[in-house]
Protein backbone atom coordinates (compact mmCIF):
# COMPACT_ATOMS: atom_id res chain seq x y z
CA UNK A 1 0.00 0.00 0.00
CA UNK A 2 1.31 3.44 -0.92
CA UNK A 3 0.08 6.93 0.02
CA UNK A 4 -1.01 8.89 -3.03
CA UNK A 5 -2.90 11.87 -1.59
CA UNK A 6 -5.23 12.85 1.25
CA UNK A 7 -8.98 13.38 1.13
CA UNK A 8 -10.42 16.04 3.39
CA UNK A 9 -13.16 15.35 5.91
CA UNK A 10 -15.92 16.59 3.58
CA UNK A 11 -14.78 14.18 0.86
CA UNK A 12 -14.28 11.02 2.89
CA UNK A 13 -17.42 9.50 1.39
CA UNK A 14 -15.50 9.34 -1.93
CA UNK A 15 -12.68 7.22 -0.46
CA UNK A 16 -13.89 3.84 -1.67
CA UNK A 17 -14.72 5.12 -5.14
CA UNK A 18 -11.39 6.95 -5.39
CA UNK A 19 -9.33 3.93 -4.35
CA UNK A 20 -11.38 1.71 -6.65
CA UNK A 21 -10.75 4.02 -9.60
CA UNK A 22 -6.99 4.05 -8.98
CA UNK A 23 -6.85 0.28 -8.55
CA UNK A 24 -8.93 -0.22 -11.69
CA UNK A 25 -6.57 1.93 -13.70
CA UNK A 26 -3.50 0.15 -12.35
CA UNK A 27 -5.07 -3.21 -13.23
CA UNK A 28 -6.45 -2.57 -16.71
CA UNK A 29 -5.79 1.09 -17.65
CA UNK A 30 -9.50 1.96 -17.50
CA UNK A 31 -9.26 5.71 -18.20
CA UNK A 32 -13.01 6.31 -18.31
CA UNK A 33 -13.65 5.01 -14.79
CA UNK A 34 -10.63 6.85 -13.41
CA UNK A 35 -11.60 10.15 -15.01
CA UNK A 36 -15.14 9.90 -13.65
CA UNK A 37 -13.68 9.59 -10.15
CA UNK A 38 -11.15 12.39 -10.58
CA UNK A 39 -13.90 14.72 -11.81
CA UNK A 40 -15.61 14.36 -8.40
CA UNK A 41 -12.66 14.88 -6.06
CA UNK A 42 -11.03 18.27 -5.30
CA UNK A 43 -8.57 19.45 -7.95
CA UNK A 44 -5.46 19.12 -5.68
CA UNK A 45 -6.39 15.49 -5.04
CA UNK A 46 -6.92 14.86 -8.75
CA UNK A 47 -3.58 16.52 -9.58
CA UNK A 48 -1.76 14.41 -6.98
CA UNK A 49 -3.33 11.24 -8.38
CA UNK A 50 -2.41 12.14 -11.96
CA UNK A 51 1.18 12.92 -10.91
CA UNK A 52 1.45 9.60 -9.09
CA UNK A 53 0.15 7.68 -12.10
CA UNK A 54 2.46 9.56 -14.45
CA UNK A 55 5.48 8.59 -12.37
CA UNK A 56 4.48 5.03 -11.55
CA UNK A 57 2.45 3.55 -14.38
CA UNK A 58 4.61 3.59 -17.48
CA UNK A 59 3.24 0.90 -19.79
CA UNK A 60 4.94 -2.46 -19.56
CA UNK A 61 7.42 -2.72 -22.41
CA UNK A 62 5.62 -4.00 -25.46
CA UNK A 63 2.19 -4.12 -23.84
CA UNK A 64 0.35 -1.13 -25.35
CA UNK A 65 -0.18 0.64 -28.66
CA UNK A 66 -2.27 3.65 -29.62
CA UNK A 67 -5.12 1.20 -30.12
CA UNK A 68 -4.90 -0.19 -26.60
CA UNK A 69 -3.33 -3.30 -25.13
CA UNK A 70 -1.64 -5.84 -27.34
CA UNK A 71 -3.20 -9.25 -26.85
CA UNK A 72 -1.81 -12.71 -27.46
CA UNK A 73 -3.72 -14.25 -30.36
CA UNK A 74 -1.72 -17.48 -30.71
CA UNK A 75 0.29 -18.87 -27.82
CA UNK A 76 3.13 -21.42 -27.79
CA UNK A 77 3.26 -22.69 -31.34
CA UNK A 78 6.24 -25.05 -31.54
CA UNK A 79 8.52 -25.67 -34.51
CA UNK A 80 11.20 -28.33 -34.29
CA UNK A 81 13.53 -26.49 -36.67
CA UNK A 82 13.88 -23.43 -38.86
CA UNK A 83 12.62 -24.46 -42.28
CA UNK A 84 10.30 -23.38 -45.09
CA UNK A 85 7.22 -24.11 -42.97
CA UNK A 86 8.35 -21.80 -40.19
CA UNK A 87 9.36 -19.11 -42.66
CA UNK A 88 5.97 -19.29 -44.37
CA UNK A 89 4.21 -19.06 -40.99
CA UNK A 90 6.23 -15.98 -39.99
CA UNK A 91 5.84 -14.41 -43.41
CA UNK A 92 2.05 -14.65 -43.22
CA UNK A 93 1.93 -13.16 -39.71
CA UNK A 94 4.32 -10.38 -40.69
CA UNK A 95 2.37 -9.48 -43.83
CA UNK A 96 -0.86 -8.88 -41.88
CA UNK A 97 0.87 -6.87 -39.13
CA UNK A 98 0.74 -9.32 -36.24
CA UNK A 99 3.36 -8.96 -33.54
CA UNK A 100 5.83 -11.84 -33.40
CA UNK A 101 7.85 -13.23 -30.50
CA UNK A 102 10.02 -16.31 -30.95
CA UNK A 103 12.66 -18.00 -28.80
CA UNK A 104 14.74 -21.16 -29.00
CA UNK A 105 14.58 -23.81 -26.29
CA UNK A 106 16.08 -27.20 -25.57
CA UNK A 107 13.88 -30.20 -24.79
CA UNK A 108 14.70 -32.76 -22.11
CA UNK A 109 16.25 -35.04 -24.75
CA UNK A 110 18.49 -32.25 -26.04
CA UNK A 111 16.53 -31.33 -29.18
CA UNK A 112 16.51 -27.61 -29.95
CA UNK A 113 13.26 -26.11 -31.23
CA UNK A 114 11.52 -22.76 -31.52
CA UNK A 115 8.51 -21.49 -29.58
CA UNK A 116 6.49 -18.83 -31.35
CA UNK A 117 3.85 -16.43 -30.03
CA UNK A 118 1.65 -14.19 -32.18
CA UNK A 119 0.21 -10.93 -30.87
CA UNK A 120 -2.62 -8.76 -32.10
CA UNK A 121 -0.38 -5.88 -33.17
CA UNK A 122 3.19 -4.68 -33.46
CA UNK A 123 4.29 -2.13 -30.87
CA UNK A 124 5.76 1.25 -31.80
CA UNK A 125 8.99 2.71 -30.43
CA UNK A 126 10.22 6.31 -30.90
CA UNK A 127 13.01 7.06 -33.36
CA UNK A 128 15.65 7.62 -30.68
CA UNK A 129 14.77 4.50 -28.68
CA UNK A 130 16.62 1.25 -29.05
CA UNK A 131 14.75 -1.13 -31.34
CA UNK A 132 13.25 -3.38 -28.73
CA UNK A 133 9.79 -3.97 -27.24
CA UNK A 134 10.59 -7.29 -25.58
CA UNK A 135 12.26 -6.42 -22.29
CA UNK A 136 15.71 -7.91 -21.81
CA UNK A 137 15.68 -10.82 -19.35
CA UNK A 138 17.38 -10.45 -15.99
CA UNK A 139 20.55 -12.41 -15.55
CA UNK A 140 21.37 -12.90 -19.24
CA UNK A 141 24.08 -10.81 -20.91
CA UNK A 142 23.08 -9.40 -24.31
CA UNK A 143 25.80 -10.38 -26.75
CA UNK A 144 24.53 -8.67 -29.89
CA UNK A 145 21.38 -7.37 -31.58
CA UNK A 146 20.52 -7.54 -35.26
CA UNK A 147 17.61 -5.75 -36.90
CA UNK A 148 16.20 -6.00 -40.39
CA UNK A 149 17.36 -2.40 -40.90
CA UNK A 150 20.75 -4.10 -41.34
CA UNK A 151 19.64 -6.36 -44.20
CA UNK A 152 21.59 -9.42 -45.23
CA UNK A 153 22.47 -9.48 -48.92
CA UNK A 154 19.62 -10.79 -51.02
CA UNK A 155 17.42 -11.68 -48.04
CA UNK A 156 14.14 -10.15 -46.90
CA UNK A 157 13.41 -9.33 -43.25
CA UNK A 158 11.89 -12.72 -42.39
CA UNK A 159 14.59 -14.85 -43.96
CA UNK A 160 17.29 -12.49 -42.66
CA UNK A 161 16.03 -12.79 -39.09
CA UNK A 162 15.83 -16.58 -39.38
CA UNK A 163 19.37 -16.80 -40.76
CA UNK A 164 20.77 -14.77 -37.86
CA UNK A 165 18.72 -16.68 -35.30
CA UNK A 166 19.67 -20.09 -36.69
CA UNK A 167 23.39 -19.27 -36.79
CA UNK A 168 23.40 -18.04 -33.18
CA UNK A 169 21.37 -21.04 -32.01
CA UNK A 170 23.87 -23.37 -33.69
CA UNK A 171 26.53 -21.78 -31.46
CA UNK A 172 24.48 -22.78 -28.41
CA UNK A 173 23.25 -19.22 -27.71
CA UNK A 174 19.87 -18.25 -26.37
CA UNK A 175 18.06 -16.30 -29.12
CA UNK A 176 14.89 -14.21 -29.04
CA UNK A 177 13.23 -12.72 -32.12
CA UNK A 178 10.47 -10.12 -32.18
CA UNK A 179 8.92 -7.47 -34.40
CA UNK A 180 8.12 -3.81 -33.83
CA UNK A 181 7.22 -0.55 -35.56
CA UNK A 182 10.11 1.93 -35.46
CA UNK A 183 8.77 5.49 -35.69
CA UNK A 184 10.62 8.23 -37.56
CA UNK A 185 9.78 10.65 -34.73
CA UNK A 186 10.54 10.77 -31.03
CA UNK A 187 6.87 10.38 -30.12
CA UNK A 188 5.16 7.01 -29.93
CA UNK A 189 2.48 6.31 -32.54
CA UNK A 190 3.05 9.48 -34.59
CA UNK A 191 4.61 10.01 -37.99
CA UNK A 192 5.73 7.28 -40.33
CA UNK A 193 7.54 4.17 -39.27
CA UNK A 194 9.10 0.95 -40.46
CA UNK A 195 8.26 -2.56 -39.41
CA UNK A 196 11.39 -4.34 -38.23
CA UNK A 197 12.55 -7.73 -37.05
CA UNK A 198 14.84 -7.69 -34.02
CA UNK A 199 17.08 -10.63 -33.10
CA UNK A 200 18.65 -10.58 -29.63
CA UNK A 201 21.49 -13.03 -29.03
CA UNK A 202 22.45 -13.68 -25.40
CA UNK A 203 25.68 -14.94 -23.89
CA UNK A 204 23.63 -17.63 -22.21
CA UNK A 205 22.84 -21.26 -22.97
CA UNK A 206 19.62 -22.18 -24.69
CA UNK A 207 17.03 -22.58 -21.90
CA UNK A 208 15.27 -25.85 -21.31
CA UNK A 209 11.61 -26.16 -22.28
CA UNK A 210 10.66 -26.08 -18.59
CA UNK A 211 12.02 -22.52 -18.29
CA UNK A 212 9.89 -19.68 -19.58
CA UNK A 213 11.75 -17.69 -22.23
Amino acid sequence: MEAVTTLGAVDLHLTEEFVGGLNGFLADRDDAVLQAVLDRVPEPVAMAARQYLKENTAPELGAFTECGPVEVVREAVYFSRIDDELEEYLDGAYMIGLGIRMSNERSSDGVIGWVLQLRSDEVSVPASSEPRTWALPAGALLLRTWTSEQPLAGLGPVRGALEVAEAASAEGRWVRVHTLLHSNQDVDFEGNGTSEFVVDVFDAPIPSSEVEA
Side-chain angles (χ1 to χ4, degrees):
M1 186 173 292
E2 187 174 352
V4 176
T5 185
T6 302
L7 285 168
V10 297
D11 299 305
L12 287 180
H13 64 288
L14 296 173
T15 301
E16 185 175 348
E17 185 179 353
F18 180 64
V19 172
L22 288 176
N23 286 339
F25 183 83
L26 291 172
D28 57 21
R29 300 303 197 269
D30 192 334
D31 292 284
V33 172
L34 176 65
Q35 190 57 52
V37 175
L38 296 184
D39 286 344
R40 298 186 62 195
V41 299
E43 185 57 28
V45 173
M47 289 177 61
R50 290 190 187 98
Q51 185 63 31
Y52 171 83
L53 294 173
K54 179 180 179 181
E55 294 173 354
N56 292 278
T57 59
E60 177 188 351
L61 193 62
F64 291 84
T65 72
E66 77 281 12
C67 298
V70 172
E71 299 174 347
V72 175
V73 296
R74 188 70 185 272
E75 183 83 67
V77 179
Y78 181 83
F79 288 85
S80 59
R81 61 187 179 276
I82 289 179
D83 57 11
D84 291 343
E85 182 183 4
L86 174 54
E87 182 176 0
E88 183 178 347
Y89 190 90
L90 284 183
D91 224 357
Y94 190 56
M95 287 295 291
I96 62 176
L98 294 179
I100 294 167
R101 287 188 176 187
M102 185 176 79
S103 178
N104 59 346
E105 65 173 32
R106 188 186 301 274
S107 67
S108 58
D109 58 2
V111 176
I112 297 170
W114 297 87
V115 176
L116 176 63
Q117 180 190 88
L118 298 183
R119 298 186 158 213
S120 58
D121 203 349
E122 292 180 334
V123 179
S124 173
V125 296
S128 61
S129 298
E130 62 180 4
R132 183 175 294 105
T133 58
W134 195 352
L136 294 174
L141 177 66
L142 179 65
L143 194 62
R144 60 183 179 272
T145 296
W146 176 90
T147 82
S148 51
E149 287 297 285
Q150 310 152 24
L152 300 179
L155 300 179
V158 175
R159 172 43 60 181
L162 291 177
E163 290 277 341
V164 173
E166 187 171 31
S169 185
E171 298 173 354
R173 307 287 188 185
W174 182 16
V175 183
R176 297 200 314 189
V177 181
H178 72 283
T179 57
L180 54 83
L181 293 171
H182 209 154
S183 175
N184 66 343
Q185 298 184 16
D186 281 334
V187 180
D188 282 330
F189 322 130
E190 293 187 10
N192 297 317
T194 57
S195 180
E196 298 179 24
F197 268 87
V198 178
V199 182
D200 285 326
V201 180
F202 300 99
D203 188 15
I206 300 168
S208 67
S209 57
E210 290 78 20
V211 178
E212 185 177 353

